[in-house]
Amino acid sequence: MRLDPELRDRILKSVSDGFQDQIAFTQKLVRMPSLRGREHAVQDLVFNELRSRDYAMDRFMMDRAAIEAHPGGSKFAQDHSNAPIVVGIHRPRDEAGRSLILQSHLDVVPEGLHEMWNDPPFSGEIDGDWMYGRGAADMKAGAAANIFALDALRRIGLQPAATVYVQSVVEEESTGNGALQTFLEGYTADAVLIPEPEDEMLVRANTGVLWFQVQVRGVPVHVREMGEGANAIDGATRIIAALRQLEEDWNAEKGAHPHFENEAHPINLNIGKIEGGDWASSVPSWCNIDCRVSIYPGQTAKDAAREITDRVAAFAQTDRFLSNNPPSVVFNGFFAEGYVLPPGTEAEAALGRAHETVLEQPLKSFMTAGYLDTRVYALYNQIPALCYGPISRNIHGIDEAVSLPSVRRITQAMALFIAEWCGVEEVQP
């Protein structure tokens, strides 16, 4: 049911009335350095915030065996997080509307060299219209928006007339296993909204992602006898060139994939980390390169992994050193497939109306070539999976920042969407 103008205006004003508190809460989140494996404290904070609002609470760990048995499960590595997943549950008096999941992740990527930042990376510094800090955009502003969009309804004496799950997960930046665990626990709804930093647009299509490590072993000798040994780092650089050819070949296939055909470079291979050798005067006996590559929706992670492994093995056979010292490929994180959001769902239409009310322009959609937890809900829950959030800059980079006016607009649109999608009822005193 569409909102009447009077209720719409009350909701918009309520979001604005609570926005300073929302900014302060977002800063509190940003100032907690919730790097991989260190998300326990921030998850405790969110648990307590949701409990203080009288939501029913659930907190659970990831089940490695269940995740590994599921086709959407990504690979566990030694540094896989063991922080809990937190769910706050709103139950209406009368289940009259459509249920909803509001999800966010609170794990963040490493901050890089601190001296490259204008302010400390976990400062939450505000300069003009921007809040800075690792995770400010990706996606602690969205995590706060999930909570404060519901607060805006409560402030005017209303609450959703349907079940709403507020889910806070980890491992989004490494495996996506946190979101998958909510599915394995049985959480589902009529739709999901994830306010990732998407520049006030809706994600229409999203790539899958694989993480893998290529391990090269050399023959160590003193550098004075270099010709008698084999340099593992040199071998690894030759493998990188072969992987770049695979990336080029996959990009050449973009015409066969709707939503990707007009993108200049939809498939991106990143050589994210390289380690090797033990001593400047010894020919290195080992080198590991950590890689990330995207795949098209519809391509299985298993098939992509097989192609990567086969390509590395085929190249090694052409290399004088590597043919006698075959490299190994180990998949050690993301093993996730992409998705396409079909147009025409009622959930998208409701979000479009909310967006147009606030921003006074139609909601645009686009393809994004990074991992999103939305894939869990699109592929496995099989519900409308909406990824839509604020304007940002430098996510995963130096001086990451989120636009505060955009956060307010997005929160207003979210509150309107919740009110229309779920319906509203009066809060019982």
Side-chain angles (χ1 to χ4, degrees):
M1 191 172 85
R2 299 196 184 197
L3 301 180
D4 68 71
E6 189 270 338
L7 175 56
R8 178 196 64 203
D9 292 344
R10 287 170 61 203
I11 293 173
L12 295 177
K13 181 178 184 301
S14 184
V15 171
S16 294
D17 289 345
F19 195 61
Q20 288 306 310
D21 289 341
Q22 182 175 343
I23 291 174
F25 181 68
T26 304
Q27 279 185 308
K28 187 182 293 188
L29 294 176
V30 174
R31 288 169 178 166
M32 302 180 79
S34 50
L35 298 159
R36 190 183 195 189
R38 294 173 53 191
E39 310 97 340
H40 297 76
V42 75
Q43 288 290 76
D44 286 347
L45 171 65
V46 170
F47 181 94
N48 291 327
E49 286 288 331
L50 293 171
R51 184 172 59 179
S52 74
R53 289 161 167 82
D54 295 325
Y55 295 120
M57 297 305 301
D58 193 8
R59 177 161 45 188
F60 47 88
M61 307 302 292
M62 280 176 271
D63 182 336
R64 178 170 181 171
I67 288 171
E68 289 182 334
H70 190 274
S74 291
K75 306 302 182 181
F76 276 69
Q78 187 174 359
D79 52 355
H80 193 286
S81 179
N82 64 356
I85 308 304
V86 169
V87 182
I89 307 165
H90 161 74
R91 301 283 189 199
R93 291 194 310 280
D94 299 307
E95 196 81 41
R98 294 167 291 198
S99 59
L100 180 65
I101 293 169
L102 297 170
Q103 195 213 275
S104 64
H105 71 86
L106 288 176
D107 52 313
V108 301
V109 302
E111 64 274 35
L113 294 175
H114 287 208
E115 59 264 32
M116 295 180 70
W117 289 70
N118 284 319
D119 294 293
F122 296 105
S123 68
E125 184 72 21
I126 295 174
D127 185 4
D129 288 339
W130 296 86
M131 181 185 293
Y132 291 83
R134 172 61 78 237
D138 188 14
M139 62 166 298
K140 292 180 175 180
N146 282 341
I147 297 172
F148 280 81
L150 293 169
D151 284 357
L153 297 179
R154 286 189 175 195
R155 195 175 293 111
I156 58 175
L158 299 174
Q159 63 184 16
T163 298
V164 177
Y165 302 112
V166 184
Q167 299 181 173
S168 180
V169 308
V170 299
E171 278 291 312
E172 193 272 351
E173 298 289 7
S174 310
T175 61
N177 286 340
L180 182 63
Q181 187 65 48
T182 68
F183 170 76
L184 295 172
E185 292 289 324
Y187 284 102
T188 193
D190 294 318
V192 62
L193 174 61
I194 304 181
E196 288 272 14
E198 303 297 354
D199 292 338
E200 301 179 340
M201 294 186 287
L202 175 69
V203 176
R204 176 64 62 203
N206 183 227
T207 57
V209 171
L210 277 73
W211 272 11
F212 61 97
Q213 183 180 82
V214 182
Q215 300 172 347
V216 183
R217 299 297 175 257
V219 179
V221 294
H222 192 286
V223 290
R224 70 185 181 186
E225 292 134 5
M226 235 175 111
E228 299 176 19
N231 189 312
I233 293 176
D234 286 346
T237 61
R238 297 194 295 275
I239 291 171
I240 290 172
L243 290 171
R244 288 292 178 209
Q245 183 59 55
L246 174 66
E247 176 188 30
E248 184 177 333
D249 293 345
W250 282 2
N251 275 291
E253 299 169 4
K254 65 183 182 179
H257 299 275
H259 309 292
F260 295 83
E261 62 270 34
N262 296 321
E263 294 295 320
H265 201 270
I267 300 300
N268 295 306
L269 167 72
N270 185 55
I271 310 301
K273 184 178 177 182
I274 184 165
E275 293 181 296
D278 303 292
W279 190 252
S281 292
S282 297
V283 172
S285 62
W286 67 280
C287 183
N288 298 332
I289 53 175
D290 286 272
C291 309
R292 173 267 191 207
V293 70
S294 46
I295 60 175
Y296 295 108
Q299 183 180 14
T300 70
K302 189 176 293 186
D303 286 347
R306 186 182 303 112
E307 189 168 351
I308 291 165
T309 302
D310 290 348
R311 186 70 68 100
V312 171
F315 172 76
Q317 287 300 310
T318 69
D319 186 277
R320 184 175 62 84
F321 159 59
L322 296 173
S323 60
N324 294 311
N325 297 270
S328 299
V329 180
V330 177
F331 293 88
N332 58 356
F334 283 121
F335 208 73
E337 294 164 15
Y339 74 93
V340 173
L341 173 68
T345 65
E346 292 185 24
E348 181 178 334
L351 180 61
R353 286 189 288 274
H355 172 90
E356 192 159 1
T357 295
V358 177
L359 284 90
E360 300 182 340
Q361 58 185 6
L363 176 61
K364 297 178 181 178
S365 63
F366 75 118
M367 182 283 290
T368 183
Y371 173 82
L372 292 172
D373 271 342
T374 333
R375 62 103 190 186
V376 169
Y377 305 98
L379 297 177
Y380 309 122
N381 295 66
Q382 295 187 331
I383 60 176
L386 309 175
C387 191
Y388 162 84
I391 294 169
S392 68
R393 58 191 185 201
N394 302 332
I395 58 172
H396 290 208
I398 302 300
D399 291 334
E400 176 181 344
V402 66
S403 164
L404 295 177
S406 180
V407 172
R408 180 167 52 202
R409 293 191 295 268
I410 289 297
T411 308
Q412 288 177 322
M414 290 171 62
L416 293 178
F417 168 73
I418 293 166
E420 179 176 337
W421 180 255
C422 300
V424 291
E425 62 183 17
E426 290 186 2
V427 175
Q428 199 164 30

